């Protein structure tokens, strides 16, 4: 006999749970429905008091499950078109002031340059310590970094 034998039978598939006499003595017997294979599984449990405890526990759980089974995710349909109390929110006015920037946005200006046919000539940037593409007129390197 394999001591590490483990079985999981969903309550939905149980047909009956009872104690029967077997060649090993009294055993807890689980019968599954025909749709789930029609298995008859026997479990020897010693002492007899523990067997009766397990029988009552499994039968009780099976009875409770059979009365109100759980088939999966539970949800409730909400009525459409009706007024729901507490759900409607009044529109809020944002307290944000938009400042008019007289200088154009560097990020937008570089994106607007989408149909360029060739790269601008490279120039040395002392600020970065490397060669970069020459900036468009009216823009500085610090303005480009502000975009990030």
């Amino acid at each position: 006999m394999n001591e590490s034998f483990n079985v999981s039978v969903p309550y939905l598939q149980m047909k009956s749970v009872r104690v029967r006499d077997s060649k090993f003595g009294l055993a807890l017997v689980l019968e599954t429905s025909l749709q789930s294979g029609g298995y008859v599984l026997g479990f020897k449990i010693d002492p007899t008091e523990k067997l009766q405890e397990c029988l009552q526990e499994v039968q009780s759980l099976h009875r409770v499950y059979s009365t109100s089974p759980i088939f999966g995710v539970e949800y409730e349909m909400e009525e459409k078109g009706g007024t729901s109390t507490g759900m409607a929110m009044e529109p809020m006015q944002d307290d944000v002031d938009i400042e008019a920037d007289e200088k154009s946005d560097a990020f937008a200006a570089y994106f607007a340059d989408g149909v360029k046919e060739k790269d601008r000539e490279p120039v040395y940037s002392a600020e970065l310590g490397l060669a970069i593409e020459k900036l468009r007129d009216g823009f500085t390197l610090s303005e480009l970094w502000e975009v990030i």
Side-chain angles (χ1 to χ4, degrees), residues 107-118 120 133 136:
F107 191 61
Y110 271 83
F111 265 121
D113 198 16
V115 290
K116 72 177 191 177
E117 295 178 11
K118 64 176 188 164
R120 289 181 207 65
E133 188 176 276
R136 292 182 64 177

Side-chain angles (χ1 to χ4, degrees), residues 6 17 31 49 55 65 77 88 90-91 105 122 124 130 144 146:
N6 188 7
V17 182
E31 266 186 88
E49 295 82 31
L55 173 67
Y65 178 80
M77 296 289 291
E90 293 185 28
D105 183 17
Y124 177 75
L130 51 92
L144 291 177
E146 285 176 11

